[in-house]
Amino acid sequence: MYERILVPTDGSDVAEAAVDHALDLAEKYDAEVHALYVVDIDSVNISLGTEQVDRLKQGRFDEMEELKEQANEATGVVADRGAERAVDVAEHVAGGRPHKVIGDYAEGHGIDLIVMGSHGRAGVRRALLGSVTERTLRSTHVPVLVVDYFDED
């Protein structure tokens, strides 16, 4: 049923809950998992110059160590958990508008299912879904499994 599962991640607890679901499904269906970290160009645009934003859109993070570390850490968690379960994980980092990058990646890589958290690390939690999740649901034809996370503290 599923051969390629995309899990967008920002390293948040909600995203990590989605990772667990994606890996469970990958084990069941012998699927590969694609971990995608998207640097939201709109949110970093204010503090960066045009040249730096253009580099981010091209996926060039070489001069932005902090962003590179966050991205590698977030996708690395997926890869490490996948390795523990013998699930193949492809890591990818991109810059742009998250919902658009997620949709384009899914279409361009033959993704069968997107598994993502109900809301991310940025901003205040909305009544039902985070804006990236909601926009992804509205802009892709790939099935999306939305995973929520409740902090037990």
Side-chain angles (χ1 to χ4, degrees), residues 17-82:
V19 168
D20 291 336
H21 282 270
L23 292 173
D24 285 346
L25 288 166
E27 276 185 311
K28 179 175 181 164
Y29 292 104
D30 194 28
E32 66 183 33
V33 171
H34 293 244
L36 175 63
Y37 182 96
V38 181
V39 177
D40 186 349
I41 298 302
D42 290 339
S43 67
V44 297
N45 207 3
I46 296 168
S47 62
L48 298 177
T50 306
E51 187 177 315
Q52 288 175 309
V53 170
D54 287 342
R55 278 195 210 115
L56 288 174
K57 287 179 182 177
Q58 297 167 7
R60 293 175 39 210
F61 301 92
D62 43 320
E63 296 175 19
M64 294 158 224
E65 277 305 311
E66 187 176 333
L67 282 176
K68 187 177 178 181
E69 285 177 26
Q70 286 175 355
N72 289 337
E73 184 177 330
T75 61
V77 166
V78 182
D80 291 345
R81 288 188 184 173

Side-chain angles (χ1 to χ4, degrees), residues 50-130:
T50 306
E51 187 177 315
Q52 288 175 309
V53 170
D54 287 342
R55 278 195 210 115
L56 288 174
K57 287 179 182 177
Q58 297 167 7
R60 293 175 39 210
F61 301 92
D62 43 320
E63 296 175 19
M64 294 158 224
E65 277 305 311
E66 187 176 333
L67 282 176
K68 187 177 178 181
E69 285 177 26
Q70 286 175 355
N72 289 337
E73 184 177 330
T75 61
V77 166
V78 182
D80 291 345
R81 288 188 184 173
E84 292 169 3
R85 297 173 167 206
V87 172
D88 291 332
V89 175
E91 297 178 71
H92 187 75
V93 178
R97 291 185 160 191
H99 72 283
K100 177 129 177 56
V101 173
I102 292 166
D104 290 348
Y105 187 94
E107 186 177 313
H109 290 85
I111 299 297
D112 304 303
L113 177 68
I114 300 169
V115 180
M116 62 190 303
S118 57
H119 59 282
R121 127 179 343 207
V124 177
R125 182 176 177 179
R126 295 177 66 175
L128 294 173
L129 297 175

